[in-house]
Structure formats: C-alpha cells, structure tokens
Amino acid sequence: MREITREEWLHQAIDALRPKFEEIGFPLPERIHVSVGFGYGAKRESSIILGQCWPTPLSEDGVNHIFLSPEMDDSARVLDVLIHELVHAADNCRSGHKGDFAKYAKLLGLTGKMTATVATPELAETLKELADAIGPYSHAKLYTRGRPVKPEGPKGPEAPEEPEAPAAPSGPKKQGTRMIKVQCSPECECGGYVVRTTAKWIEVGMPICPVGTVMEIA
C-alpha cells in the first residue's frame, strides 16, 4: 500500500474534524489548503511559529492557506495545532485570537492563552485516537536549532541530549539592526512601498501595502 503524503494525512484529519465544527455551529470552509512549512515571521534563532492561517482575500483562488511547522512530528501535537488554525479558517481570520475565535476554540476543547492554545485532556485524548486511526504522520522532523546528539564521556548513554550546531540554511541573512526593512514588489501597484518594523511584529504577521499585497523582508 502506498504511504500517504503528509498533506494527504492533514486533509484526512481536516475531514475527520469537520463534524466537530458543525456540531458547534462554526462550519469549516469547503476547501482549505494545508501544507508543512514556515509561516511569515518564523525565525530560526527563536521560537518557531507552529501554525499559521491566511485569510481568503489574500489567496488567488479565495481559499484559506494553513501552514504547520516542520519542527513538529508528534501526530497528536500536530492535530492540536491544526485544530487551532482551523478555527482561524472557520472565522476567516476576522477575530484574531479574540471574539469568535476564542469562543469557538474553547467550545472545541482548546485552552490556555489563546495565541498559544493547547488541548484539554479530553480533546487531547480525542486527537490521539484520531491520529491512531489515520496512521503515522508522514513527516520527518526538521531540527532548525541543530540535531540533538548524545555527548560522549563519563556521563553515559542516559546523559541529556545537546543540540549539534546546525549549518546555516539558504536564504537571506538576518539583519543586524533593530528596525527591519520590509518592502513590497516594485511591480505592485503601490510602486514598491517600504516600511520598517521590528522582529516582534513580523512574528505576528508581515505588513500589507496600501493596495493589499503582502510585503517581504528587503
């Protein structure tokens, strides 16, 4: 039997979770794009954004895009983060982490700080059962802070793992200044709109130019 891809695994999970959203009167969109990857604002040097959902107006085909961090490989935890992002999709990202988002997230069994929810014990058990039903999550964890290795020496094999210094990935180097330059494409109707902001706000989400295009770090 062919091993399903991680995206197929995630779509199976979404289909299995749809009835829960129907039960609370907060249905999911008919179509949702879901992938594994880093969302805008994710930084190697600090905490990684575990999930991110994009609203339909920013998608060419008018479909929500959900991204889940490649640092996660525990099936139940992946489903925990996925259901958080699905609440954003059902709300089309209108409420942020307040209002309808908070209301329906709690009804589904998410608890804690709404920007970083975790499953209640009851929901966690349901998600574990769902993960077991779908099968192994078809993903190999990405170690962005270095692959853990057991140190050699008298401490023995039970010594805690320490991360191995990772090689630098491809892509632009991190800017050293506190204020980060963010620019829109020169081909955009805005003409290449430029702003400067901090890493804190980039983690929340990339700025959007006056005509609605998502900007990029220059």
Side-chain angles (χ1 to χ4, degrees), residues 38 42-48 71 143-146 166-169:
F38 294 110
K43 301 191 301 179
R44 287 181 65 246
E45 297 81 359
S46 62
S47 60
I48 297 295
E71 284 200 328
Y143 295 96
T144 61
R145 297 170 181 80

Side-chain angles (χ1 to χ4, degrees), residues 16-28 104 107-108 123 126:
L17 291 169
R18 283 184 182 278
K20 292 189 173 296
F21 284 80
E22 296 284 348
E23 289 171 8
I24 63 172
F26 203 51
L28 290 172
Y104 290 106
L107 286 175
L108 286 162
L123 177 59
T126 298

Side-chain angles (χ1 to χ4, degrees), residues 98-180:
K98 301 178 180 179
D100 280 346
F101 174 88
K103 172 184 175 181
Y104 290 106
K106 292 173 183 176
L107 286 175
L108 286 162
L110 295 175
T111 188
K113 187 177 180 181
M114 286 295 104
T115 55
T117 59
V118 293
T120 60
E122 295 77 13
L123 177 59
E125 183 60 30
T126 298
L127 296 180
K128 183 180 183 301
E129 292 174 357
L130 175 56
D132 290 342
I134 300 175
Y137 180 45
S138 308
H139 173 70
K141 182 175 181 178
L142 183 66
Y143 295 96
T144 61
R145 297 170 181 80
R147 188 181 183 90
V149 294
K150 290 186 181 298
E152 297 180 358
K155 293 182 179 180
E158 300 303 320
E161 295 183 343
E162 297 179 357
E164 177 183 316
S170 62
K173 300 294 184 181
K174 180 182 176 182
Q175 296 189 25
T177 56
R178 183 179 180 186
M179 297 299 292
I180 299 173

Side-chain angles (χ1 to χ4, degrees), residues 3 6 26 56 60 68 73 77 85 94-95 97 111 133 137 146 153 155 160 162 171 176 193 203 211:
E3 180 181 358
R6 57 193 182 188
F26 203 51
T56 57
E60 183 68 30
L68 299 177
D73 65 349
R77 179 56 175 152
E85 299 308 325
R94 295 184 185 92
S95 306
H97 291 96
T111 188
Y137 180 45
K155 293 182 179 180
E162 297 179 357
Y193 193 72
E203 287 185 11
V211 299

